[in-house]
Amino acid sequence: MEPLKDLNTRELVLNMGPQHPSTHGVLRLKLELDGETIKKCTPYVGYLHRGTEKLAEGMTYMQCMPLTDRLDYISSMTNNVGYCLAVERLFGIEAPIRAKYIRTIVSEVSRISSHLLWLATHALDIGAMTVFLYAFREREFIMDLFEMLCGARLTVSYPRIGGVKNDVTQEFIDKLYDFLLDFPSKIEQYETLINVNRIWLQRTVGVGIISAADAINWGLSGATLRGSGVNYDIRKHFPYDAYYQVEFAVPIGKNGDVYDRYLCRMEEMRQSVSILKQCVEKLPTGPIMAPDAPKFTLPPKDRVLSEMESLIHQFTLITKGPMTAPKGEIYVATEAPKGELGFFIVSDGTGRPFRMRIRAPSFVHVSALPSLCEGGLIADAIANIGSIDVVLGECDR
Amino acid sequence: MEPAEIAAKIKESYPDDVVSIRDFRGQCAIVVKKDNILKILTELHNDPQFNFDFLKDLCGVDYLSKKIPRFEVIYQLYSISHRHMIRIAAQVLEKSPSLESCAGIWKTANWHERECYDMYGIVFENHPDLRRVLMPEDWEGYPLRKDYPLEGPEEEWRGFREVLQKHEEYKKYEWNR
């Protein structure tokens, strides 16, 4: 057959997103294509920018808490905990041991919840429907647990500077324990569906490979970095809350492809179950708020309505303002489900942060997206976006 | 290595560049002049005793009417192998808010520097692609500066009329109209 003489070729620019299911609603990728191959990928973010850092400068440390909920809204608890730890370090206060255990529990439950949503949507992007339904079934149970704990399901604002809002009930512990006994079999279910599924393997193995050195250089963190074989987990490097009292393994990948990042997160969920079991079994008794913390945290509503001391305390806090922080600057990072979530706070000695910087893992991960996508196919871009587990609320702040 | 020890070593190597060392709650920040910032950062990255391979974060701080020079660019450095960290604060003058880009050392600095430019107007020289990242490309002003009006600029922003017009146009698609 003779070759076609009049065949014209031209480079095609394709705008993927922001209104696209696999780009999480507000991420736009400008793809320069040669056929189906991506020659250049340029991510555009900022569609969800709400000026969180600027807002924080006008609020007291206590008032900033709901802002942190709206960063990674898939796991609000971990953002709250990260922020509380940073402010506690700034003020030089320490939460009591029971509060630390409770925070570890809610952080790990959040991690499972976040990974479940990631698994569901990532699998759906690639074409697996059943996992999506199964993962949401378990996630709903976790949402119910949160509702039982603090009355909210998504934007929880549960932890407090110096402790937590209210104590856990026995009913919560019992339900959580039931969930922990049942959940490993559910993970097996997901794995049976996709672990050796030929379509899944062809879409993920050898796709979006990033070497360990490159991953570090790009500033990747969390399971995205560990998928490349780098053993960096803040829960091990700088243990916070009750992490220094529990034993767990850090899953590490070998090849740094989409499949390895998937395996890492699946194993992380198993490790979270193990951490949670240890925390529930060891949960100590005692107070849930540090003795010097109430100086800048509002007392519980029921006590304001029944005790004169609490009423006066609330009145002074609202009218005169909160306790002032010492002058200084602090950077505290925690291992959020997406990666390293850091809060850098500059205090000028007043009751409000002079500068609050949020180091969001999703922002860094989106910046590294071109290095994963370029040279691959358009279909692989979808797998890559899913595998770095981004939430644009956190990326855009 | 302890942060204070790292700070002391840097001060010994660059006595003219290190302005001061801030120590707070066990964390150290080395305040340096911006002229040799790239040299200092390169040494911190390459020297095996430091090996700061992980740039955790890079951001700006505006000390309007509190400090001179007005701006600081903060680098949060971490070494995964040595498990130590240090903070570098480069002083940037209000008159000429610019300093060398470190995107050649850590690729992650690329977007962080773009964000710092977007929010504070600090220009990173030799940056491969210095554009706004969070704000629209035609936005005027730098929102995180302390003198930026909290309620937004007084004048209408570019494209405001067009957005209102679009809003009116799309009303015909609303239910029950």
Side-chain angles (χ1 to χ4, degrees):
Chain A
M1 193 175 139
E2 271 187 38
L4 291 167
K5 283 175 188 168
D6 303 334
L7 189 68
N8 291 321
T9 59
R10 66 183 173 93
E11 206 164 79
L12 185 77
V13 178
L14 180 78
N15 272 298
M16 199 169 88
Q19 279 81 22
H20 189 280
S22 72
T23 58
H24 302 250
V26 279
L27 168 69
R28 178 159 74 96
L29 295 181
K30 191 173 130 194
L31 304 174
E32 288 168 33
L33 304 171
D34 177 10
E36 271 194 81
T37 311
I38 300 169
K39 288 284 171 197
K40 197 179 174 206
C41 165
T42 320
Y44 290 85
V45 296
Y47 295 96
L48 202 58
H49 178 54
R50 295 150 294 171
T52 306
E53 292 173 10
K54 185 81 173 173
L55 284 171
E57 289 175 9
M59 292 175 163
T60 65
Y61 287 101
M62 185 184 62
Q63 287 169 336
C64 288
M65 187 67 70
L67 291 181
T68 60
D69 278 329
R70 277 119 182 118
L71 297 171
D72 174 8
Y73 38 78
I74 308 301
S75 62
S76 313
M77 287 283 192
T78 41
N79 304 340
N80 293 160
V81 170
Y83 172 71
C84 288
L85 283 165
V87 180
E88 281 168 15
R89 187 89 183 268
L90 176 73
F91 277 93
I93 56 175
E94 202 178 344
I97 188 74
R98 186 176 172 85
K100 284 184 173 180
Y101 267 85
I102 295 173
R103 281 188 198 176
T104 311
I105 289 173
V106 293
S107 298
E108 288 308 314
V109 175
S110 276
R111 191 180 312 280
I112 294 177
S113 151
S114 170
H115 283 0
L116 280 177
L117 195 130
W118 160 80
L119 175 68
T121 52
H122 181 46
L124 193 68
D125 286 345
I126 290 184
M129 186 75 193
T130 316
V131 187
F132 173 81
L133 298 169
Y134 282 8
F136 264 79
R137 180 186 61 191
E138 270 73 69
R139 193 167 180 273
E140 196 60 24
F141 192 84
I142 292 175
M143 293 288 106
D144 289 345
L145 279 177
F146 284 162
E147 194 177 356
M148 193 191 294
L149 186 64
C150 59
R153 293 164 70 86
L154 194 73
T155 50
V156 287
S157 293
Y158 171 67
R160 287 285 179 275
I161 300 158
V164 288
K165 185 182 157 223
N166 51 276
D167 209 343
V168 291
T169 57
Q170 191 55 44
E171 193 193 356
F172 172 86
I173 296 289
D174 293 343
K175 289 222 166 176
L176 175 63
Y177 207 81
D178 289 346
F179 173 75
L180 295 178
L181 293 178
D182 185 39
F183 188 59
S185 68
K186 296 289 193 305
I187 302 176
E188 269 173 37
Q189 266 183 19
Y190 313 142
E191 287 181 341
T192 315
L193 283 168
I194 50 179
N195 243 13
V196 287
N197 181 310
R198 273 167 65 188
I199 301 171
W200 182 263
L201 288 173
Q202 286 191 340
R203 291 292 308 273
T204 57
V205 175
V207 173
I209 297 175
I210 188 157
S211 68
D214 277 349
I216 294 172
N217 202 257
W218 272 110
L220 304 183
S221 53
T224 315
L225 176 68
R226 292 192 284 273
S228 295
V230 182
N231 190 352
Y232 173 52
D233 189 321
I234 300 167
R235 294 174 296 171
K236 287 278 186 193
H237 279 212
F238 297 101
Y240 53 94
D241 280 345
Y243 284 111
Y244 56 94
Q245 291 184 342
V246 290
E247 282 176 16
F248 63 99
V250 179
I252 305 288
K254 281 180 191 161
N255 308 316
D257 56 6
V258 175
Y259 190 65
D260 271 16
R261 295 193 273 277
Y262 153 74
L263 288 180
C264 275
R265 291 202 180 92
M266 295 305 270
E267 187 54 35
E268 266 188 23
M269 286 201 282
R270 285 207 177 86
Q271 294 301 325
S272 290
V273 170
S274 154
I275 295 171
L276 282 166
K277 271 188 185 162
Q278 292 174 56
C279 283
V280 169
E281 279 158 12
K282 288 184 192 170
L283 187 66
T285 52
I288 52 158
M289 189 58 101
D292 46 356
K295 284 175 194 161
F296 54 95
T297 306
L298 288 177
K301 198 72 186 169
D302 55 329
R303 278 173 56 194
V304 175
L305 296 171
S306 58
E307 287 175 20
M308 182 54 86
E309 279 283 307
S310 301
L311 181 66
I312 295 169
H313 170 55
Q314 168 156 316
F315 182 75
T316 31
L317 205 62
I318 299 291
T319 52
K320 284 176 71 181
M323 193 172 90
T324 54
K327 269 188 186 181
E329 53 188 38
I330 204 87
Y331 178 84
V332 175
T334 50
E335 187 70 33
K338 310 277 181 290
E340 174 171 343
L341 176 72
F343 284 91
F344 174 64
I345 299 175
V346 179
S347 161
D348 60 345
T350 61
R352 294 163 205 272
F354 181 73
R355 165 87 168 104
M356 188 171 97
R357 158 76 181 170
I358 302 157
R359 189 266 189 214
S362 297
F363 183 75
V364 180
H365 290 177
V366 174
S367 76
L369 205 51
S371 72
L372 293 169
C373 289
E374 280 167 12
L377 303 174
I378 310 174
D380 295 344
I382 310 290
N384 281 324
I385 297 168
S387 78
I388 55 172
D389 192 12
V390 289
V391 160
L392 272 294
E394 180 182 63
C395 174
D396 293 353
R397 280 155 285 142
Chain B
M1 223 185 289
E2 288 300 313
E5 207 178 322
I6 299 166
K9 284 195 175 178
I10 292 294
K11 194 173 182 182
E12 202 179 296
S13 310
Y14 300 91
D16 298 334
D17 292 301
V18 176
V19 180
S20 62
I21 291 165
R22 296 197 292 251
D23 198 344
F24 183 72
R25 305 254 189 246
Q27 295 188 0
C28 261
I30 312 171
V31 186
V32 295
K33 291 176 192 163
K34 66 166 188 177
D35 305 332
N36 276 336
I37 183 72
L38 200 61
K39 206 173 155 193
I40 296 170
L41 291 175
T42 311
E43 183 174 335
L44 285 168
H45 179 262
N46 294 346
D47 193 332
Q49 63 168 334
F50 301 127
N51 194 22
F52 283 108
D53 48 2
F54 196 73
L55 177 70
K56 281 179 174 236
D57 194 22
L58 186 157
C59 69
V61 183
D62 181 6
Y63 288 102
L64 179 69
S65 71
K66 280 193 187 289
K67 269 188 198 175
I68 296 172
R70 179 177 166 183
F71 299 109
E72 269 181 11
V73 174
I74 308 281
Y75 303 81
Q76 313 278 1
L77 304 178
Y78 183 66
S79 166
I80 290 178
S81 53
H82 296 320
R83 296 194 182 191
H84 58 209
M85 66 182 286
I86 194 78
R87 185 179 308 131
I88 307 286
Q91 294 183 325
V92 179
L93 291 168
E94 189 179 356
K95 278 183 188 169
S96 57
S98 69
L99 79 167
E100 279 287 322
S101 162
C102 68
I105 311 172
W106 298 280
K107 285 175 188 161
T108 183
N110 187 318
W111 270 39
H112 284 308
E113 286 179 348
R114 274 177 68 185
E115 194 193 351
C116 190
Y117 161 72
D118 190 1
M119 295 293 150
Y120 289 95
I122 296 171
V123 176
F124 290 87
E125 288 160 19
N126 302 322
H127 187 280
D129 181 23
L130 198 65
R131 285 181 290 126
R132 284 190 181 270
V133 61
L134 293 176
M135 303 300 286
E137 279 173 27
D138 57 352
W139 193 261
E140 285 165 10
Y142 303 104
L144 274 182
R145 283 190 176 187
K146 289 282 177 186
D147 52 2
Y148 187 83
L150 268 181
E151 291 173 358
E154 283 177 13
E155 294 165 16
E156 275 176 9
W157 42 272
R158 213 179 295 165
F160 181 72
R161 291 273 149 203
E162 285 81 348
V163 170
L164 282 187
Q165 214 175 327
K166 275 266 160 64
H167 177 67
E168 286 300 317
E169 262 176 45
Y170 288 153
K171 271 190 177 169
K172 66 183 174 199
Y173 297 111
E174 281 176 18
W175 292 105
N176 304 324
R177 278 184 77 91

